[in-house]
Amino acid sequence: MSNASFQPTIRAASIADVPTICRLISGLAEYERLAHEAVFDEAQLSEHLFGPRPYAEVLLAEDGGQTAGFALFFHNYSTFMGQPGIFLEDLFVLPEYRGRGYGKALFQAVVRIAAERGCGRMEWAALNWNEPAIEFYRSFGAVPLSDWTTFRLSGERLTAAPTP
C-alpha cells in the first residue's frame, strides 16, 4: 500500500471506546518510559471525556476496524490573541502501525479542528529525548518554544499549595 494514496479512518471517539483509549494511554506511558505515572481510572476517564462537562476530546485512527492510534486534545485560551487554542496532550500510534501515515493523519485532523473552530494556535509538548517526535513535528513547520519553561503542580503539591 502506497502512503500517497493511503487515507486512514479518523473518527471522534465515543464512550464505547473508553477501554481502547485506556489501552492506548497505557501504551503511550510505556513508550514514554512513564508507565509508573499512568494511574488513571477508566470510570473517571469516561466521565472526563463523555460526562456532562467534557474536559478533553479524542480522535481515533483505524485500520480495517482495528485501532492504530489516538490524539487527545482540549481547548485553552490566549488572552494576548483573544482567541481559543487547542492543546494536543497526546498523539500516539501503536508500534505496529508506525511509519504508515496514522500519526500524520491524526495530527492533521487536530490541526483542521483548530482551524475550523477559529483557534489562534495549537500547542503541545514533546519529551526532549524523543527525537522521532520532534522531527515529526518539525516536518509540519512547528517550532519549539525556547523562551518558555513548563511548570507543574501535581499530587500532594497541588492539594497542599498555599492559598492567600
Side-chain angles (χ1 to χ4, degrees), residues 88-109:
L88 176 62
E89 179 68 21
D90 293 319
L91 176 68
F92 177 71
V93 174
L94 292 166
E96 60 269 28
Y97 293 98
R98 290 186 190 143
R100 294 170 44 192
Y102 293 100
K104 181 178 181 179
L106 282 164
F107 187 79
Q108 289 173 324

Side-chain angles (χ1 to χ4, degrees), residues 40-97:
F40 62 90
D41 173 82
E42 187 171 322
Q44 193 173 41
L45 181 66
S46 181
E47 177 73 14
H48 291 164
L49 294 176
F50 302 104
R53 187 188 189 285
Y55 290 97
E57 299 174 60
V58 174
L59 297 178
L60 296 175
E62 294 182 330
D63 178 17
Q66 297 298 311
T67 304
F70 81 113
L72 185 145
F73 61 95
F74 53 87
H75 280 277
N76 55 21
Y77 192 81
S78 169
T79 54
F80 287 8
M81 295 177 75
Q83 290 181 284
I86 282 184
F87 189 86
L88 176 62
E89 179 68 21
D90 293 319
L91 176 68
F92 177 71
V93 174
L94 292 166
E96 60 269 28
Y97 293 98

Side-chain angles (χ1 to χ4, degrees), residues 152-164:
R152 176 179 295 162
L153 278 176
S154 62
E156 289 181 22
R157 288 189 175 125
L158 177 65
T159 58
T163 56

Side-chain angles (χ1 to χ4, degrees), residues 9-11 61 72 123 145 153:
T9 301
I10 305 295
R11 67 172 178 84
L72 185 145
E123 296 179 318
L145 300 177
L153 278 176

